[in-house]
Every structure is written in C-alpha cells, then in structure tokens.
Amino acid sequence: MSPPAVHVALSEGRSYAVHFEPLATAPMHLREAGVTGPRALVVTDETVGPLWLDALADALRADGWQVEATAVPAGEGSKSLGQLGALHDWALALGIDRATPVLALGGGVVGDLAGFAAATLLRGLPLVHLPTTTIAQVDSAIGGKTGINHATGKNLVGAFHQPLLVLADPATLGTLPDRAFQSGLAEAVKHALISDPALADRLDREWDALVGRDPDVVASVVRDAAAVKAAVVEADELEAGERAVLNFGHTFGHALEREAGYGTLTHGEAVAFGMRAALHLSASLRQGAVADGLGPFQAADRLVARVAPAPPALDPDRLTEAMATDKKRTAQGLRFVVLDTVGEPRLADDVPPAMVEAAWRFALESGA
Amino acid sequence: MSPPAVHVALSEGRSYAVHFEPLATAPMHLREAGVTGPRALVVTDETVGPLWLDALADALRADGWQVEATAVPAGEGSKSLGQLGALHDWALALGIDRATPVLALGGGVVGDLAGFAAATLLRGLPLVHLPTTTIAQVDSAIGGKTGINHATGKNLVGAFHQPLLVLADPATLGTLPDRAFQSGLAEAVKHALISDPALADRLDREWDALVGRDPDVVASVVRDAAAVKAAVVEADELEAGERAVLNFGHTFGHALEREAGYGTLTHGEAVAFGMRAALHLSASLRQGAVADGLGPFQAADRLVARVAPAPPALDPDRLTEAMATDKKRTAQGLRFVVLDTVGEPRLADDVPPAMVEAAWRFALESGA
C-alpha cells in the first residue's frame, strides 16, 4: 500500500502532487500532470543511473516516450556552472522544445542541478523530480529550489522553478548506503521538530524499524515529513518569510559543512549538529541567558542526536565567524531559527554572540 | 516635459513602472519602487559606461547609495555563460544579500545578461533596468525576459525575471550612433503594426522629426511603443500564448540574423526584413495563395522599409531550413505571426512552404 500523495498548492491555481509510488507509475502520473512527450530528458548520476534508470526508462518507452538520458558524476562537485553548461549543450543539441520535460532522477545534487538546467533552458522547461534519497524525498525535491554551488558558498547561484510532479519511489531508498539513508533522516527530524510533534514522537518510537528500513514505516514517515515541507512551501513559495523556518539547524549547519570541508560531513549530518546547536540556542533564548542545559528540549535533542555522529573537531570561534558569510544573514546580522517549543519555530535576530558560541560548544562537545 | 510613465501590472498584485525621465531621478524612483540600499550593483558595458555611468552613480551616491559598478565588453559576445559566471564571481565577492539590487545600464545585451545574473544570484535579486538604446527602451527592458546565447542559437538559456522598475532616459538615445538608433525603431514599428494603428500613422507622418532626433517626438514615440509591449506582457507574463504576437517578424528575423552571421545585421534590421517577409506572408494567407503583391499591407511595408537597409545576399531556401532550428517552432512545425490587418495579429501554423519561400524572396529581393 502506497501512502497517500501530498499536494502542494501554489499561487494562481498552480499545484503539483508528490506521489510515493514505484517509478514504473511515472507514465501515468506524467499524463495526469499534463506533461506531454514524446521526448523526455532524464538527468541522473553515475551512482543512481545503473540502479534505477532502466526501471524508469523502460516504463516510459513502453508508454511511447522517447527517452534521452545522461548521467553526471555523483556528488556535490556536479553542482557547478561547468556541469550546468554541459547539460545545456546536451539538451540543446537534441533539438528540444519548450514542452520537453526534464526528469531529475537522483538525490539532492541531481535535483538541484537538473532543476536549474530545466529552469534556464529556453527560459524554463517542465520539471519532474524523481528523488531517490531520503533527503530529496522529504525535502529538496519539494519547493522549487534549484541551483549550483559557487566558490564562495553553496547554492549561491540558482532559481526558483517548481516541478509539475514529484514521484518519490520508496523502493529507491532501499539501495541507499546506511550513512546516506540515516543522515537523510535529519531533515525528517527537522520537519517533525518545526511543525509536527506527533511525527517527532513516532520517529522516537519507531526509530529501530525505520533504520531497519521496514518498508511501510519508511514510506509513511517520509510521506509525513514531506507533507510538512509541502505545507511550508505553500505558505511561502518564494521564501519571502515563513519558509525560513525550514532553515532550522541550517545557519549552524551550513557553517559546519563549509568549515569541515564539503564531503566530510553529509548535509544531513551537518544539519543534525546544527539542530543540536539550535536547540541549545532555543533554550538560552527562552531563559534570557546562556543555558547550561537543554531545558524543555532534551527529548528533541535525544532524537536529533540519533542522526548526529561523533562531532568533528572544530573551533567554535572559527565557526561563528564562518557563519557571517552565510547567505541567510541579513543586513542586521545573523538570523537563526529557534523553537519556542517543539512544533513552534520562530526567527531570532540579534542573538548575543555568547549564546551562539555556547550553542556551538554544546553541539560540538556533547557526545551523541 | 517627460511623457507619462507606463505601468505593467502582473499577477498577484505585482507591478512596475516604466519612467521616461533623466537617470538622475533614479534615487527617487528606486525609493518609490521599494528598492533599498545601501549597496547597488551596476552592470554596464564598455561603450555605455563612459557615457552614462557617472550621471547614474553620482545621483545614487548623493542619495546615500554605495555603488559597485562593472562594465562588460559591448556586443552580443557578452551574452555568454562565461560572462555570466564572471558576474556571479564579481557580485558574490562583494558580499551581497538578497535585497541588493542589480541595475542594468545599457542596451539589450546588458539588460539580458545582467538580468539573468540577477535572476540567478541567490535565486533572485531585485532587478532595475536602465535601458539606453531605442530597442531596449521600447522592447527588451520590459517583460522580464533575461538570458544568454548558446552555440546552437540566441537566447536559448535564460529565465523570466521581472524588473521592479524601468527608468528609460530619453537623453541616452541622443548618444546612439545613427544605425543603432534607427534599427532600434524597427521594434517600435513592430509594436505599432501589431497593436496600435494610430502609432503606425504617427511614425509615418513624423518619421523625419524622429530620425532627426527631435527630443519630444523621440520620447513620445518610444513611450507609446513601450506601452504596447507593456500591455502584451500584462496579458501573458510567461509567454504562454498571447505574447507570441511580439514575435512578429522574428521567426524570419532570427533565421536571418543567424544566417547572415551575428553582427552583420543589427537585431532591429533583421527584424525589419523579417517583418517585410511576414507582411508578404500575411498577404498570401489572406488570399489563400502565394501573393504577388502586398495587397492591404503596402502602407505597412513602406513604413517597415524605412528601417530595412539593403538586403543581404542570402539564399531563401537556406533561410527556410535555418528557421527549423528556431526555438519558436512547435512540434507541429514552424509558427508565424501574421496580420489579418494592421493592429490585428494572429498565429499561423502549418504554413505552406511555398508561401514561406515567396515571403523570403520578397523581403530579400525588394529594395528598400
């Protein structure tokens, strides 16, 4: 039994569905979404392609589609202007038109890169996300953010380009390595903490079944975590305000990712440490002084700690400085997402530096 | 006396104004448009910069802005992925945030390139167009199209990104070379023919004053031609349908531009020849057979001929073939914009090839 689809309603009557069904159902869902052929461009990577491209391409071809596929190298390195240009070259040499859809089959890197290519080819091609990682299914495939990295930081070049359809096949999570699967759960935990206390409780209770990859538990948790993302995106399509709550753990996490060196920590792991710091900061702000414990956020931190491995050896001062180049900073200073309580996030500006440093120290010095 | 502003109303209550006033009024209009500083990124080119950058930058600095400016080489060659990357590098090294506006000071190339940089930096920075050529003031600065060229064709990579403000200073047209000024009038003629018969009459009547650069006549004609563009954009922000009428002359013109070699003809000249061909095709379609004259479109053709210099020596057959790679083609074949009568454009698909070839022959073999 597939869990029910999640629907994302945007402005001006636009909307799209997120289905949690096998890749073989792609032709049916493309038809429902009004995506027409006969040609489809599939972008995947060299890890996911060998595992899942045939299942997708066979189903499409059986339905009359002409499938053109390309695989980029796996990993963040592909989110580059050079790789974007290579996708432009590939697609334009095929003689596409404005109705030709781009299907992004893979994790966050493929989704961001192929999504940005779709956003920029002929000023916008139809985009379909076929996320194959936990993090992509619960987070990055929903919401229309696309982009590449820049020497000065991640995701600094990109565009908003909403998909017409997301088809997240839970079976693809079965081929993920343990580390990728588990660290991707960090975003599910994040969604639970900012918006769905019941999901937080379920995650805590069903953790063993989840990491044991019980198919029904995985599909159901991923679906509910994706629903949180969808609801936030609906309220703030272009990240004008409310959507900022999705950055819970990210102001800390991005700095950590950069300072540890990209590839040292997974994005999910960096966000997990970031959330531990953000929970400590939440406790400090609640009591109006640097907290020496987590107060009401202890249970939340136990959940987050499940996805945070041994902390990297980094200097809290240096990390505080690194955050200053994060793009979420405003003219007024750094902006953090903190919790008033689980399920109730808010933005905090002008946070005392002592609280930020204490939060870093907590996240980096507490064992998991 | 400046002519009245043109207003462009978009979906969801978004709108922007097109002012025809001196560059020195930029600070006032930025304030009205809600564009805040203190830092502004000005992108111009090596031709326009020496002429007009000081006037703009001085006015901005006097109003408290911190102005960062860069000049790209003049000409189509700057609409490249490499130049886009260079602008990303420049802007991101300055430590911009999402409120930092990009001001595009120049013609269509600068507007398209800087606009695309604004569209893609931090997933979208506020964009202000300060068009300094006829073609940019009546056409390209209005409507949100941004982009770069690709080896396989012009404008094949880009995004829709609407400006928050357009400030078109009529005085900047005074420094244009004659050829650029006059060929830019081709787009004004196009707007008159597709939507404003009264403007077509005025263009015919006041042509000498216009090309003599009578300031009041220039400002008033540019303003009314820009108003046509604004009305079409309002009706079809993302070029889903109606906006296609702006491509009158362009299916032919793009093929001509490509075959003649970019830079041989100006875009305006190519569009002028394209309009002559499109008028002939309109006459053919009206009578249901290849026309041997222009019928009711003779007066229109006389007006178009004013902006079409001696035709290039190109083979009509080869041009017909070149059109097949134009991005406006649909799966059904080439799509042309034709006139039922002046002011009443429509789309024509499945046009008999004999009519297309006859149209090419007319445009290339008639003297101006």
Side-chain angles (χ1 to χ4, degrees):
Chain A
M1 245 332 261
S2 300
V6 168
H7 293 276
V8 187
L10 304 171
S11 59
E12 306 184 275
R14 291 172 303 139
S15 72
Y16 57 95
V18 185
H19 296 283
F20 301 89
E21 298 177 31
L23 283 172
T25 64
M28 176 180 80
H29 292 302
L30 287 167
R31 209 157 29 235
E32 286 166 3
V35 180
T36 57
R39 174 174 272 176
L41 306 181
V42 180
V43 179
T44 186
D45 72 26
E46 291 169 357
T47 302
V48 174
L51 295 168
W52 293 103
L53 180 58
D54 281 352
L56 174 68
D58 290 352
L60 289 171
R61 290 193 179 109
D63 196 56
W65 287 82
Q66 295 163 21
V67 179
E68 308 280 358
T70 190
V72 301
E76 284 283 329
S78 283
K79 285 177 60 175
S80 68
L81 195 66
Q83 194 64 62
L84 179 75
L87 287 184
H88 289 156
D89 294 346
W90 171 71
L92 291 170
L94 293 170
I96 54 173
D97 65 38
R98 286 179 182 166
T100 307
V102 173
L103 280 55
L105 174 69
V109 167
V110 165
D112 285 0
L113 173 69
F116 193 34
T120 52
L121 281 161
L122 309 188
R123 295 200 190 89
L125 297 181
L127 173 63
V128 173
H129 280 301
L130 304 160
T132 62
T133 63
T134 326
I135 198 167
Q137 293 195 357
V138 306
D139 187 14
S140 61
I142 303 165
K145 281 191 178 183
T146 73
I148 56 178
N149 299 326
H150 186 265
T152 54
K154 278 183 74 172
N155 298 320
L156 294 183
V157 171
F160 283 95
H161 190 57
Q162 297 288 347
L164 294 181
L165 164 69
V166 180
L167 174 57
D169 182 351
T172 60
L173 305 186
T175 53
L176 280 183
D178 282 341
R179 188 180 177 198
F181 177 76
Q182 290 197 43
S183 75
L185 293 178
E187 298 286 354
V189 168
K190 182 193 77 178
H191 291 174
L193 293 183
I194 62 171
S195 181
D196 191 344
L199 178 60
D201 289 345
R202 257 180 71 209
L203 280 164
D204 198 42
R205 248 185 358 257
E206 303 184 7
W207 192 261
D208 291 343
L210 188 61
V211 298
R213 310 223 197 166
D214 177 299
D216 289 342
V217 174
V218 170
S220 151
V221 161
V222 163
R223 189 264 171 210
D224 287 354
V228 170
K229 175 73 180 264
V232 175
V233 166
E234 282 185 353
D236 179 16
E237 182 178 345
L238 297 178
E239 202 170 27
E242 239 174 291
R243 187 156 164 171
V245 299
L246 292 169
N247 289 324
F248 181 62
H250 279 61
T251 306
F252 290 103
H254 281 158
L256 196 59
E257 223 173 338
R258 196 163 45 226
E259 287 304 298
Y262 291 119
T264 309
L265 295 171
T266 66
H267 177 70
E269 288 163 357
V271 168
F273 285 112
M275 287 192 285
R276 297 195 78 184
L279 287 170
H280 190 276
L281 180 60
S282 300
S284 293
L285 286 168
R286 248 179 94 102
Q287 67 183 65
V290 171
D292 60 358
L294 285 167
F297 300 110
Q298 284 194 345
D301 184 61
R302 270 198 310 274
L303 180 58
V304 175
R306 293 182 190 271
V307 283
L314 288 170
D315 173 14
D317 288 347
R318 208 185 142 141
L319 285 161
T320 305
E321 197 183 304
M323 287 191 302
T325 57
D326 188 281
K327 74 172 177 297
K328 269 92 190 174
R329 76 192 176 296
T330 64
Q332 288 76 47
L334 276 174
R335 166 164 288 185
F336 293 91
V337 182
V338 294
L339 302 184
D340 282 334
T341 182
V342 170
E344 299 288 343
R346 68 177 175 89
L347 301 182
D349 289 320
D350 299 317
V351 173
M355 289 189 187
V356 176
E357 282 167 44
W360 271 126
R361 224 167 295 123
F362 169 79
L364 295 173
E365 293 169 9
S366 313
Chain B
M1 240 337 256
S2 300
V6 168
H7 293 275
V8 187
L10 304 171
S11 59
E12 305 184 275
R14 292 172 303 140
S15 72
Y16 58 95
V18 185
H19 296 283
F20 301 89
E21 297 176 32
L23 283 171
T25 63
M28 175 181 78
H29 292 302
L30 287 167
R31 209 157 28 236
E32 286 166 2
V35 180
T36 56
R39 174 175 271 177
L41 306 181
V42 180
V43 179
T44 186
D45 71 27
E46 291 169 358
T47 301
V48 174
L51 295 168
W52 294 103
L53 180 57
D54 281 352
L56 174 66
D58 290 351
L60 289 171
R61 290 191 179 111
D63 197 56
W65 287 82
Q66 295 162 20
V67 179
E68 308 280 357
T70 189
V72 302
E76 283 284 330
S78 283
K79 286 177 61 176
S80 68
L81 195 65
Q83 194 64 63
L84 179 74
L87 287 184
H88 289 156
D89 294 346
W90 171 71
L92 291 170
L94 293 170
I96 54 173
D97 65 38
R98 286 179 182 167
T100 307
V102 173
L103 279 56
L105 175 69
V109 167
V110 165
D112 285 2
L113 173 69
F116 193 34
T120 52
L121 281 161
L122 309 187
R123 296 199 190 89
L125 297 182
L127 173 63
V128 173
H129 280 302
L130 304 161
T132 62
T133 64
T134 326
I135 198 166
Q137 293 194 357
V138 305
D139 187 12
S140 61
I142 302 165
K145 281 190 177 183
T146 73
I148 56 178
N149 298 327
H150 186 264
T152 54
K154 278 184 72 171
N155 299 320
L156 294 182
V157 171
F160 283 96
H161 190 57
Q162 297 288 348
L164 294 181
L165 164 70
V166 180
L167 173 58
D169 181 351
T172 61
L173 305 185
T175 53
L176 280 182
D178 282 341
R179 187 179 178 198
F181 177 77
Q182 290 197 42
S183 74
L185 292 178
E187 299 285 355
V189 168
K190 182 194 76 178
H191 291 174
L193 294 183
I194 63 172
S195 180
D196 191 344
L199 178 59
D201 289 344
R202 259 179 71 208
L203 280 164
D204 198 43
R205 249 184 359 256
E206 303 185 7
W207 192 262
D208 291 343
L210 188 60
V211 298
R213 312 226 195 162
D214 177 299
D216 289 341
V217 173
V218 170
S220 152
V221 161
V222 164
R223 189 264 171 210
D224 287 354
V228 170
K229 175 72 180 265
V232 175
V233 166
E234 282 185 352
D236 179 17
E237 183 178 344
L238 297 178
E239 202 170 26
E242 237 175 292
R243 185 155 163 173
V245 300
L246 291 170
N247 289 324
F248 181 62
H250 280 61
T251 305
F252 289 103
H254 281 158
L256 196 59
E257 223 172 339
R258 195 163 43 227
E259 286 304 299
Y262 290 120
T264 308
L265 295 171
T266 66
H267 177 70
E269 289 163 356
V271 168
F273 285 112
M275 286 192 286
R276 298 194 78 184
L279 287 170
H280 190 276
L281 180 60
S282 300
S284 292
L285 287 168
R286 248 179 95 102
Q287 66 183 64
V290 171
D292 59 359
L294 285 167
F297 300 110
Q298 284 194 345
D301 184 61
R302 270 198 310 273
L303 181 57
V304 175
R306 294 182 190 271
V307 283
L314 288 170
D315 174 14
D317 289 347
R318 207 186 142 138
L319 285 162
T320 305
E321 196 183 305
M323 287 191 301
T325 57
D326 189 281
K327 73 172 178 296
K328 268 94 189 173
R329 76 191 177 296
T330 64
Q332 288 76 47
L334 276 174
R335 165 165 288 184
F336 292 92
V337 181
V338 294
L339 302 184
D340 282 334
T341 182
V342 170
E344 298 289 343
R346 68 176 175 89
L347 301 182
D349 289 319
D350 299 318
V351 172
M355 289 190 188
V356 176
E357 282 167 43
W360 271 126
R361 223 168 295 124
F362 169 78
L364 295 173
E365 293 170 9
S366 314

